[in-house]
């Protein structure tokens, strides 16, 4: 019988109440590695109460002292980098080095949160009227929640809770039930860093737990990252229950390769961006738009041998370029897309469907795939596959390529590879996409900028972390004050103006 995990509530490990549970599998072997309790609505409500009880005390801690907790948390993540990356890799399947990179990117948000006293500084205006001063300050919302996807077990939770907590909120994290261990460990480390018990609670669960967060009146704001249908549902349900919601959804990121691009660089960029983490990244490039047949033919010729010789292995194989897909169900979904691409007439230049890794025959390993001659009416173009599958679309001109980017329902990331400054500038101006790269295939903003897409890749108004994170997790108060010596006698019935 696999070990049963727990929740982390009020600074303690809390066993599930004995209701439903889910399987956490080892993607390399297909075995059930551990089990995770799936919280009932009552269990979630108890955690929310705990977070509500902790919130006033936490908000009363000065920003400087909240920052000191973040400094200690940063040091603890660094000390436990290997452990956290291993927990992420073991359950997700990505290579250990890739997981370390993602923990590091998450850590950088903790570093930004270490400066919270500086970023929370308000605005002050003296003498807005004679003897009248005005100042604006940002205040925590209360109890806020985060719901995260399977593909970044450390980084995506780190996009959320350090900023929320540094701003003075308490937090309920509902991690993906496929990869719960990393979040549980980070909650222990934050407590060790000096956060009060109840400041970060990790409640494992599925739809029942999420629905409780979306409807409970104590929860003031929800940060969500996951697939578009669930993001839309979370946004609609959360906002109709009076909450502030930022819900980041799926993606179909195009990389335009112009005729003047350095094709060696573009090929290397596509290899990493399409097949790193087995394509299970919301910023993965899943569509290469070649401008002109010459570029398309050259890309196919350069990419094919590289994709055929990708090194695929379990997370702890130091030579592996990529690991298995997260679950058997996800493997079947990805394979279904490849089958449909073949049926719809795209040319499957490299077929990874039959890939088997010796000794890991029950693992969810899939070889890299390349489709050529993909067109915009095909399912493999329209929908997010989230696997090691690159679609090549042949565009006649730059304008046609840009139209593809702008007409797609998703708008997370995109990139252009070119040496032409005019083309690059036009692209950065006209692309209807949240994150744009010029000769940078995965333009993920650093921690002190903000991350988010456009169109159906983001529901809500705020991007995540950086300055937008501070705005999302706080509300503004503006005080106008004067003192008795500045008050004139007599009632004023007209709108006060400066003469
Ligand atoms: P998912 O939508 O299946 O799950 C995300 C979260 O929602 C999980 O915590 C899950 O428990 C919960 N959930 C699932 N079904 C639910 C339901 N019916 N009701 C309420 N809650 C539900 O996503 P996933 O498969 O874990 O992650 C992959 C997806 O996440 C991809 O679409 C990927 O593009 C997206 N993603 C987006 C970004 C971004 O920044 N835009 C980043 C990472 C991942």
């Amino acid at each position: 019988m696999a070990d049963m995990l727990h929740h982390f509530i009020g600074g303690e490990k809390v066993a599930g109440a004995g209701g439903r549970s889910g399987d956490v599998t080892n993607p390399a072997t297909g075995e059930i590695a551990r089990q995770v309790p799936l919280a009932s609505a009552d269990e979630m409500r108890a955690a929310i109460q705990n977070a509500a009880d902790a919130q006033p005390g936490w908000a009363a801690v000065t920003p400087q002292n909240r920052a000191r907790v973040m400094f200690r948390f940063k040091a603890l993540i660094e000390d436990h980098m290997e452990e956290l990356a291993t927990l992420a890799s073991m359950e997700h399947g990505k290579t250990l080095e890739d997981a370390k990179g993602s923990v590091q990117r998450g850590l950088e948000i903790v570093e930004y949160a270490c400066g919270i006293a500086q970023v929370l500084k308000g605005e002050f205006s003296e003498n807005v009227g004679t003897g009248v001063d005005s100042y604006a300050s940002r205040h925590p919302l209360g109890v806020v929640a985060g719901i995260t996807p399977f593909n970044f077990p450390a980084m995506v939770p780190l996009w959320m809770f350090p900023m929320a907590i540094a701003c003075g909120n308490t937090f309920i994290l509902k991690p993906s039930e496929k990869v719960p261990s990393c979040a549980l460990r980070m909650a222990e480390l934050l407590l060790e860093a000096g956060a009060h018990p109840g400041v970060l609670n990790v409640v494992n669960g599925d739809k029942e737990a999420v629905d409780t967060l979306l409807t409970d009146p104590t929860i003031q704001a929800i940060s969500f990252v996951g697939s578009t249908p669930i993001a839309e549902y979370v946004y609609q349900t959360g906002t109709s229950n009076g909450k502030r919601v930022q819900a980041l959804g799926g993606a179909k990121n195009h990389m335009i390769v112009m005729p003047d691009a350095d094709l060696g660089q573009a090929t290397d960029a596509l290899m990493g961006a399409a097949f790193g983490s087995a394509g299970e990244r919301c910023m993965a490039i899943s569509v290469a738009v070649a401008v002109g047949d010459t570029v398309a033919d050259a890309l196919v010729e350069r990419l094919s041998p590289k994709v055929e010789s990708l090194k695929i292995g379990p997370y702890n194989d130091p030579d592996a370029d990529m690991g298995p897909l997260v679950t058997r169900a996800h493997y079947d979904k990805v394979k279904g897309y490849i089958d449909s691409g073949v049926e719809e007439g795209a040319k499957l230049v490299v077929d990874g469907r039959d890939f088997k890794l010796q000794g890991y025959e029950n693992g969810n390993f899939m070889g890299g795939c390349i489709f050529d001659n993909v067109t915009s009416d095909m399912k493999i173009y329209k929908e997010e596959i989230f696997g090691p599958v690159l679609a090549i679309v042949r565009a006649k001109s730059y304008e046609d390529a840009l139209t593809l980017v702008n007409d797609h329902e998703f708008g997370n990331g995109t990139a252009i590879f070119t040496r032409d400054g005019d083309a690059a500038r036009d692209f950065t101006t006209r692309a209807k996409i949240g994150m744009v790269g010029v000769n940078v295939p995965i333009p993920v903003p650093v921690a002190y900028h903000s991350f988010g897409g456009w169109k159906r890749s983001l529901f809500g108004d705020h991007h995540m972390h950086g300055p937008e994170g501070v705005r999302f997790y706080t509300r503004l108060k503006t005080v106008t004050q004067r003192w008795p010596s500045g008050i004139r006698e007599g009632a004023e019935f007209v709108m006060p103006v400066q003469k």
Side-chain angles (χ1 to χ4, degrees), residues 63-333:
Q64 184 77 54
N65 280 333
R66 295 201 298 262
R68 287 182 175 135
V69 172
M70 288 298 153
F71 273 108
R72 286 191 290 270
F73 184 47
K74 162 186 152 58
L76 284 169
I77 293 180
E78 283 165 345
D79 293 348
H80 293 268
M81 174 67 76
E82 189 82 20
E83 180 192 356
L84 291 170
T86 303
L87 289 173
S89 297
M90 254 168 42
E91 293 180 351
H92 175 280
K94 66 177 79 181
T95 66
L96 191 55
E97 281 311 304
D98 186 28
K100 279 187 202 162
S102 65
V103 179
Q104 174 64 34
R105 290 302 291 263
L107 170 66
E108 290 167 10
I109 288 143
V110 182
E111 290 172 343
Y112 182 74
C114 288
I116 197 67
Q118 169 69 18
V119 294
L120 278 182
K121 256 184 2 192
E123 294 174 334
F124 181 86
S125 300
E126 194 174 285
N127 268 348
V128 294
T130 307
V132 182
D133 304 323
S134 190
Y135 63 90
S137 51
R138 296 209 153 261
H139 297 257
L141 303 177
V143 183
V144 300
I147 301 155
T148 52
F150 78 80
N151 66 323
F152 285 108
M155 186 180 81
V156 173
L158 286 168
W159 283 356
M160 303 173 180
F161 74 78
M163 292 308 302
I165 287 170
C167 288
N169 302 284
T170 54
F171 201 89
I172 309 268
L173 172 62
K174 204 303 284 172
S176 165
E177 61 275 39
K178 295 178 187 132
V179 295
S181 296
C182 205
L184 288 166
R185 188 70 184 108
M186 288 194 291
E188 290 176 0
L189 295 178
L190 188 69
L191 185 75
E192 194 180 329
H196 299 170
V199 165
L200 174 60
N201 304 282
V202 177
V203 182
N204 289 301
D206 57 4
K207 182 170 170 52
E208 185 171 344
V210 171
D211 285 347
T212 311
L213 289 170
L214 296 178
T215 50
D216 190 293
T218 304
I219 300 291
Q220 298 296 307
I222 303 260
S223 298
F224 173 90
V225 176
S227 59
T228 285
I230 310 298
E232 190 167 26
Y233 166 76
V234 164
Y235 181 77
Q236 285 174 350
T237 315
T239 51
S240 66
N241 280 278
K243 300 178 199 320
R244 190 180 284 189
V245 180
Q246 53 177 187
L248 279 62
K252 195 80 180 176
N253 306 312
H254 295 49
M255 180 170 129
I256 296 183
V257 184
M258 295 290 283
D260 67 346
D262 180 320
L263 285 184
Q265 288 177 358
T267 304
D268 287 343
L270 281 169
M271 287 302 298
F275 301 102
S277 205
E280 292 170 323
R281 288 179 180 147
C282 64
M283 287 292 276
I285 294 289
S286 47
V287 180
V289 186
V291 177
D293 283 333
T294 314
V295 175
D297 293 342
L299 280 181
V300 171
E301 192 184 320
R302 285 169 183 255
L303 284 166
S304 298
K306 289 183 189 283
V307 174
E308 278 160 1
S309 57
L310 274 169
K311 296 194 193 75
I312 302 170
Y315 81 89
N316 52 1
D317 175 352
D319 295 326
D321 298 317
M322 66 183 210
L325 293 166
V326 65
T327 57
R328 179 51 45 173
H330 189 58
Y331 173 97
D332 290 341
K333 187 173 162 196

